[in-house]
Amino acid sequence: MAPPLSPPALRRLLLLVLSLLITSVAAENVEEFTEELLLRPLPDRKALAHFHFRSSAPPSAAPSRHHHHFPKAIAQLVHQFHIKELELSFTQGRWNYEQWGGYDPMSTNYAKPPGVELWATFDLPLGEIDATWKNLTHTLSGLFCASINFLESSTAFSSPRWGFKLNEGNLRYGALPREAVCTENLTPWLKLLPCRDKAGIASLLYRPSVYKGYYHSQKLKLASSKSFGIILDQTLTVVLQPDSVRGKQLHSADGQLQPSWSMKDLFNRKLSGKCLVSKSSRVFFEIEKNIVDKVDKSGTEASWTNEIFVLSSAPDRVLKEINNMDGHSSSICEYDVSNYNEDAPLDVGVTWKLPLIWSCTPAPYHANRFLMGSGNERGSISLSFISTNMHKQLFDVSNDCSIKAVVFQVVPWYVKVYYHTLEIFIDGNNKAISEVVDKINVTPSEDKLFPGTLEMLLRFPCSMQSAALSLDFDKGFLHIDEYPPDANQGFDIPSALVTFPEFNSSRSYPETDSLFVSPLLRTFKEDGVVKSYTEVLLVPLTTPDFSMPYNVITFTCTVLALYFGSLLNALRRRTGEEERELKKAGNPTMLICLPVYDAHISCVI
Amino acid sequence: MAESDGDESQPALPSSEGGDISGSLSTPAPTDGDKPSPRMSKPGTKRLVLTASVLLSFLIGLPFLLKSTEIHRSPLPSEAIADLSRRLHSNPPSFPCVLHAVFLLSDRAPSGLANRMEQAISTQLLGFPAASTAGNISVSVTVESVGVCSSSTNVASPWRCGAVTTADLVRGDEVFDELLHSALGGGGADGMRVYTIVVVDSDTVEGLRTVIGKHRHAWVVGKVDETESVSIIGNAFVKYFMNGGIEEGEAGIVKGEFMPVGSDGNVVLSFSLLNADPSDWVYDWEFEKIGERMLIPVIEALQPIANINIESQVLYHTPKSSYSSSDDKLGANVLTMGDIPFFVNSNEWHLDTSISATGRSKVLQFVVYIPSARECPLYLQLPDGKLSKTNAFISPMWGGVVIWNPPSCSKTPGALNKMPSQELMETIEIFIGQLRQLFGLKSSYHAQIMDGVTKFITSPKGFAQCKSYYNFASHMHRGSIHPI
């Protein structure tokens, strides 16, 4: 039995609709740009920085060709390819769901699978979508200096119906797990911002510290409609290890202690003002629910300065989350960057007064994916769910309650999955598929044509501690031309996505300022169904001996050379003649020598 | 191998043996005593055959080897290309060109004047190199005198007799131009384009006055005799209608070699406003209102040549890449001609090629550069030391740049200013001039007096009908050769 849609959720939905209406009214047919940065300490001595830039273009009857702040390239892209929604992410590293949280807006919206992930919905007849997708991948690949054009081939993208996002067949999804992400992808992304990284919050993007981080995900999200025009959200999420010099001074003995840090430690620079064309420019410092709890327990109020920690400067505002179920809520300190300038730069940071250990709220299940079996012929994929017992705090656990989970997985054609071999183990016992699987949609792969897509709605009993799914597969053979460079490294299977549709991580904050609503906090309020991506799998396939043609050529050439060489040698050389020549040449000396020899001999005689 | 050895050693062996034996017999030396006997027999034919067969088999195998290691190259239709180029060389494409001369005479005309004039003009046109290469020019003449019209054999355009009289001249050139347009049937919409030159015989005007109208016609006013009028008609036709008024080797004009039109006939005009340093001042513009209004007539006029799209954007933090030097005398910063090639900063100016310009279409960038407070005001200096009037320059096939200095160069940090609409209009006028130059025309015919007597009536579109036809013809001409 699923927990019913609670009244707070309904209210949230209403709020969402209302807020959308407000935005469309507030847009006033002007292009707008806002920049925001969210900082948050993480339990494992790291810090999260989330940059959020929103550019919006007003709705227009005809495709607008004149832009002031909105990037021209994106507006043209939207009109050219009739894009309704698009999301492109470049990620390096893997979001650590155990440590960094799995049940907050950050992990559900901004934790992305490694490599490139692209999905788009189109406002086109179904027949034209595939061709448009192909053109789109090429355009994006040119725009972002990435090999997104590899998603052009029909073996690389799929069209999920409900496992990824509910749609009417106009969604295309593709992922490139092996794409390396680096500064050549960041530069074109920055070019879409009016001030690039010359001024404003983006000037903090000091490349060495961004790429030294444990995780960074650069995302571009586009939404376009007739009612609100085009909204472009550019986000960059980085997890960094702060320079822990100051932390060590405090308590160098305890390795578990939180380091104190500020923006200067993270990015090697302070913030000296906003981008002049931005409508608003804000920095948020988020204090998580579990920290607020601990501070409350210590007896002081969780403001910017308390017994446990102190922020480097007084915030302009403190926002408290509008409460969810269990009474505790996170709070956000807000700084308005326009109050700071080069003489008085902003350097938000935290200094811990007391050692504090806390943890982030995890997702209801930790989802992991493994590869089983050995050899180059067959293997199996298994997906494991381990309960974090989080739902027990949220719901009343009765015996017959259940939790839904949606699994979406795309497998390349050369990994030939036998879907009938699906086996499900719950707490170690093999269960019948019909007991657990509510709904399943399988698109089998076709050799060199389509990838295999699996969409599955599972229903786990609430009391379950662990579950495992396994699927067997055969490894296919590729043509020699189809192998990528360094084929012996193995082939990547893109991450699977696990969604828990009954869990919503959205957070809402009071809107004290009716004129300004933060786009970042608004995205926290929007659709926040808990999601988590699994690991990328590395499947070793049988690789041909790529040097074989070479070997054949060298062998053949050696044999031919030997044959022709010795044959010609034998034909050309005339041993008898040579001997004669030798004699001819040798005789005069002999003649001179001989008398001497003779004389000598005669002498001797 | 053994066989060949045997074959080889057979004639040699006995001799050496013989030598050995004889040596041992004749000389006391135990070995190699005697001079060996010369080779007695020719090399065996067997060996020759074998050598030849090895060589042959190699030669036979060679084509197979070459074939198997060959890289596939798709064949080019080289013959067809060569054929086309030969045909174009021997028979260059020519466009039908029709000249219609109309004489408005105040006194009675002698009979047969029309035919005589036609003959004279035709022979005169043959003398011009430009006219003779353009292909067949057919000439027709109409003579109207005292309300009676007589025409030569093949009249190209209908001339409504009596629609225009000498008296209409006093009503001004613009009115006369429209009158002529209506008298000539409003310019036939069909493919056959006719150029008309009207010679108005008038005593009231001193000297000679040639006016080039908007609609493929010109008129000459003055007292002229027959031979003089023939030469005037010929000159005017060749100079203005056929060459678009461009003189050989004239400065400031892009040679017709480069037509900034993509081979699919699309051109994107991308207008950008660059704020070099927004911390000093930020300027925005109302391009969608003013720019569109001023540019749409131009686009319509150029419709026969190219399909033109306009787009605009505002960019920030875009410094120029050349250094300006401050000039104390002028109290300004100046850029000399030598600095201009380094002005466009492709690292920081992300002008972007347009996604809407797909395939082989061409993007022309038009840039308004607003200097930072440090380099304000910024002027371009001509080689003769004077400052450029327009403060702008073009780069062929790329586009144009206008430097716009904010009023009084006073810092307004944080404020969002708008470019004054009057200044924006002036800037766009400069851009239209630059566009004309990029298309190979003079930037402006306004108030330009050539030969002291010629006047141009300019169309508000900036591109008169005859110019765009001229452009079209030259573009088509190149377009047809392009694939080679």
Side-chain angles (χ1 to χ4, degrees), chain A residues 66 68 76 196 567 571 574, chain B residues 47 54 278 284 311-312 317:
Chain A
H66 304 285
H68 301 271
Q76 287 174 345
R196 287 172 293 158
L567 190 64
L571 287 171
R574 292 183 290 191
Chain B
R47 171 204 284 263
V54 168
D284 200 351
E311 51 194 40
S312 78
H317 295 283

Side-chain angles (χ1 to χ4, degrees), chain A residues 157 243 280 412 519 535:
Chain A
F157 67 89
D243 233 351
S280 81
E535 299 87 345

Side-chain angles (χ1 to χ4, degrees), chain A residues 65-74 76-77 80-81 139 143 191-196 198-199 275-277 563-564 566-568 570-581 583-584 587 590-591 594 597-598, chain B residues 1 4-5 8 12 15-16 28-29 32-39 43 47 50-51 54 57-58 270 278-279 282 284-285 287-288 292 310-314 316-318 347-348 350-352 354-356 358 414 416:
Chain A
R65 289 164 293 153
H66 304 285
H67 300 285
H68 301 271
H69 309 317
F70 197 82
K72 188 175 85 173
I74 296 296
Q76 287 174 345
L77 187 92
Q80 180 95 359
F81 301 113
T139 311
L143 213 59
K191 253 166 62 169
L192 303 177
L193 303 174
C195 291
R196 287 172 293 158
K198 302 279 174 193
C275 170
L276 280 156
V277 293
Y563 169 68
F564 278 107
S566 50
L567 190 64
L568 288 173
L571 287 171
R572 199 194 62 81
R573 281 186 71 178
R574 292 183 290 191
T575 33
E577 201 78 340
E578 271 166 23
E579 273 169 27
R580 249 197 313 280
E581 291 291 319
K583 273 178 198 160
K584 221 188 274 175
N587 274 344
M590 286 297 230
L591 281 171
L594 270 172
Y597 183 65
D598 280 346
Chain B
M1 220 155 126
S4 76
D5 260 343
E8 198 270 339
S15 74
S16 77
D32 299 311
D34 203 356
K35 180 179 158 189
S37 63
R39 185 187 171 117
R47 171 204 284 263
L50 263 174
T51 316
V54 168
S57 66
F58 179 73
S270 168
S279 56
V282 180
D284 200 351
W285 59 2
F287 191 88
E288 56 268 50
E292 288 256 301
I310 301 179
E311 51 194 40
S312 78
Q313 60 181 342
V314 184
Y316 307 88
H317 295 283
T318 48
N347 289 331
E348 305 280 353
H350 45 287
L351 300 171
D352 269 341
S354 180
I355 293 177
S356 60
T358 48
L416 299 174

